[in-house]
Amino acid sequence: MLIPESELILNEDGSVYHLHLKPEDIADTILFVGDPERVGEVSKHFDSVEFTKHKREFVTHTGYIGKKRLTVLSTGIGTDNIDIVWNELNMLTNIDLVSRTLKVEKKTLKVIRIGTSGSLQKDVPVDSMLASTHGLGLDVLMHYYPFSQDAETIELEKQYAEQLAIPFLKPYLVKAPGSLFTVFNDAIQGITATCSGFYAPQGRIVNSPSTVNNLIEKLSKLQTPTHRITNFEMETAGIYGLANTFGHEAVSINAIVANRITHEFSKNGQAMIDKTIQYVLDKLSSSL
C-alpha cells in the first residue's frame, strides 16, 4: 500500500519531517533523553561520534563505544513528543521512504530511556535508580493505538482504574516490551506512572487548586499483592506503548531525584543523572 505524502511527510532531502533523520543516521540501539542538552552528556562517553543533527527539541548524536553503534536522541517532554519520535523512528526503520511502502522484513529497535523521576514510596529513596517493569498511562496517547496485553496486565490495569476512581481518567498499563528489561534487572524495580503534566497532573498545588484531591496518596497506595506504583514522570507509558504497537523493545531507567512522600529533593541531581548515564552505557557495552 502506497502511503500518501500527507501522512508520511518527508523533507526535501528525504529525511523524516520532525527529526530530520534518514535511515542511515540511527543505530539499532537508541538512548532516549528528554533534555536536548543531555544528549552531549551521553555522547561524550562515546569513543567516536559520526553524526549529529539538531532540529527543534530533537537533538541526535550517533557514534560508537568500542564496536557498539549507539544513537542518543532527545525527545523533549511528554507523551505527545514520544508519539512523534517513535512514529518517525519506526518510519526510518520499517518503511521504505522512497517507495512509501511498508518493508516486508521488519527490524526491531532497542530503546533505553534515561530520565529523571519522582518516587512515590518511602523506600525508593532520592539518588537511587529504578527500572520500570510497566508504564501506567495517566495520559491519553495509547487510547489512539492498538497494543497487546497479557492476562496479568489486563487485570492489573482494571484494578488500578478501580482504585484510582478518577472519573475523567482511563489508565492504561503496558509491560516493558521485549527482553531488554532483563539487562537492567539489578536496579530497583516497579511500575512507573506517566502523567500528562508536571504541576496539577503530578499533584503539585502551586498556582491553582487541583480537581483531583490527594493524587500523590492515591498513586502511592495503588497496589496488588505483586505490584505497586513506585514513581512517576511524563514519558514511560508512551514509550512502552508505542514500542509494543510497532514491535520494538524498550526499557525506562529512572534517576530518582525527588521523593514526593518524604518531600526530599536531590542535593546533586546532575551527579545522579551522570551516574545513571554511566550505568546504562556500562550495561550496554557488556550485554548487547
Side-chain angles (χ1 to χ4, degrees), residues 264-279:
E264 296 174 88
F265 196 84
S266 176
K267 297 295 189 293
N268 193 343
Q270 186 58 52
M272 188 59 217
I273 293 166
D274 292 342
K275 182 179 178 181
T276 305
I277 289 170
Q278 192 62 63
Y279 167 77

Side-chain angles (χ1 to χ4, degrees), residues 32-34 75-82 86 113-116 135 139 141 172 192-196 202 232-241 252 254:
F32 281 0
V33 296
T75 64
I77 299 174
T79 55
D80 50 350
N81 274 17
I82 296 301
W86 251 135
R113 171 192 178 268
I114 304 173
T116 55
D139 63 308
L141 176 63
Y172 62 89
T192 298
T194 293
C195 304
S196 58
Q202 289 188 23
F232 61 2
E233 42 75 271
M234 294 178 64
E235 290 87 30
T236 293
I239 292 170
Y240 282 11
S252 179
N254 301 267

Side-chain angles (χ1 to χ4, degrees), residues 60-126:
T60 306
H61 291 182
T62 296
Y64 286 85
I65 294 180
K67 294 183 178 180
K68 181 65 183 175
R69 191 171 187 244
L70 298 169
T71 291
V72 55
L73 167 64
S74 62
T75 64
I77 299 174
T79 55
D80 50 350
N81 274 17
I82 296 301
D83 177 62
I84 291 171
V85 170
W86 251 135
N87 270 277
E88 295 193 2
L89 287 177
N90 192 65
M91 291 172 190
L92 292 169
T93 306
N94 290 319
I95 293 177
D96 185 319
L97 300 182
V98 176
S99 66
R100 296 179 173 274
T101 57
L102 295 174
K103 293 180 180 178
V104 176
E105 293 187 12
K106 296 296 182 68
K107 180 185 288 188
T108 299
L109 296 175
K110 296 181 184 294
V111 164
I112 303 94
R113 171 192 178 268
I114 304 173
T116 55
S117 184
S119 171
L120 290 166
Q121 302 294 337
K122 285 184 178 179
D123 62 342
V124 178
V126 167

Side-chain angles (χ1 to χ4, degrees), residues 164-229:
L164 265 179
I166 299 174
F168 60 82
L169 277 185
K170 184 183 177 184
Y172 62 89
L173 187 67
V174 193
K175 189 175 183 179
S179 61
L180 192 55
F181 178 86
T182 61
V183 175
F184 304 93
N185 61 9
D186 57 342
I188 299 170
Q189 299 180 20
I191 295 179
T192 298
T194 293
C195 304
S196 58
F198 185 76
Y199 288 96
Q202 289 188 23
R204 288 184 173 90
I205 309 303
V206 180
N207 297 299
S208 167
S210 173
T211 60
V212 179
N213 294 323
N214 304 316
L215 178 63
I216 301 299
E217 182 180 3
K218 285 176 181 287
L219 288 171
S220 67
K221 290 183 176 179
L222 288 185
Q223 58 184 325
T224 67
T226 55
H227 295 83
R228 63 178 179 162
I229 311 301

